[in-house]
Amino acid sequence: MDPREYDRRVLESIDPTMRRVAAENLSLPTPCTGWTLGDLVRHMAGSHFGWAFAARGDAPDPAVWAGPDLGKDPYLVYRESADAATAAFADPDLLSRSLQIHGYGTIPAAATLHMHAVDFLAHGWDVAMALGIEPVLDEELCAHGLAIAQRWPEVAFGSGDPFAAHVPIDDAAPTGLRLMAYLGRDPHWTPSS
C-alpha cells in the first residue's frame, strides 16, 4: 500500500473519534502515562504540523512539534493540523526524499509516513479510550500497521519514546488489540488503571 494512501486512510479512520474531543474533556486521563487528553491532542496536532513542515523540506522546529494551543475548539485545531499533514504528504516527489524529523534525525519519507500512520492509529485508540467510547480499529489498517511495527528495532519500545514495552496479549485477540499491545498499550486500560 502506498504510504501516503495508508496515512490518509488512518487519519480518516480516527477522525470520527477526534470529532468527539471538546474543551470540557481535555482534563481526562489517557492511556499515555502522565498525559491528559489535552496533552495528547496537543501532541497529535504538533506532530501533524511537524511532519508537514518536514515534508515541505523545512528544518525541525521544536516549538512546532510541541503543539499549538487547543483553544475553545480542540477538534478544529486538530483538523487543521491533520489537513496540513495530508496536504504536505500529497507531494508527488515526497517518497523520493528523506525528511528531518525532530528527535529522530533524517529518515526516508516512506518510513516516516509509516511511523506517522502507526503512531496515529495508536493515538486514535488512546483518545477513544480516554473518552470512554468504542475505538475504531480498522482490521486492514491495523494488520498493515502491525506488520510495519514488527519490523522496527526493539530500541523503539520500552522507554515510552516512541512506544512503551510490548504488553502480552493472546495471539487470538483481534488484530487491532494486538497492535495496541505491541505498541505498549494495555488493551484493558481504564481511567482508574
Side-chain angles (χ1 to χ4, degrees), residues 118-140:
V118 172
D119 192 43
F120 275 80
L121 274 174
H123 285 326
W125 183 87
D126 295 332
V127 171
M129 297 300 284
L131 292 172
I133 62 176
E134 188 67 30
V136 177
L137 294 171
D138 178 282
E139 183 77 12
E140 180 186 8

Side-chain angles (χ1 to χ4, degrees), residues 104-123:
Y104 295 97
T106 303
I107 305 171
T112 64
L113 289 176
H114 283 145
M115 287 170 55
H116 183 261
V118 172
D119 192 43
F120 275 80
L121 274 174
H123 285 326

Side-chain angles (χ1 to χ4, degrees), residues 87-104:
F89 293 165
D91 177 350
D93 298 323
L94 182 66
L95 297 182
S96 66
R97 298 189 282 117
S98 290
L99 309 182
Q100 291 182 51
I101 304 300
H102 175 63
Y104 295 97

Side-chain angles (χ1 to χ4, degrees), residues 11-76:
L11 298 188
E12 186 178 87
S13 78
I14 70 169
D15 194 66
T17 297
M18 299 308 298
R19 284 180 186 276
R20 304 276 296 270
V21 175
E24 59 266 22
N25 51 36
L26 293 181
S27 62
L28 291 172
T30 72
C32 302
T33 304
W35 281 12
T36 64
L37 184 57
D39 297 330
L40 176 58
V41 175
R42 186 170 187 240
H43 163 76
M44 293 169 77
S47 292
H48 279 322
F49 283 130
W51 257 293
F53 270 51
R56 292 193 302 261
D58 297 331
D61 181 345
V64 170
W65 285 85
D69 183 274
L70 299 177
K72 295 183 180 185
D73 190 344
Y75 172 71
L76 186 64

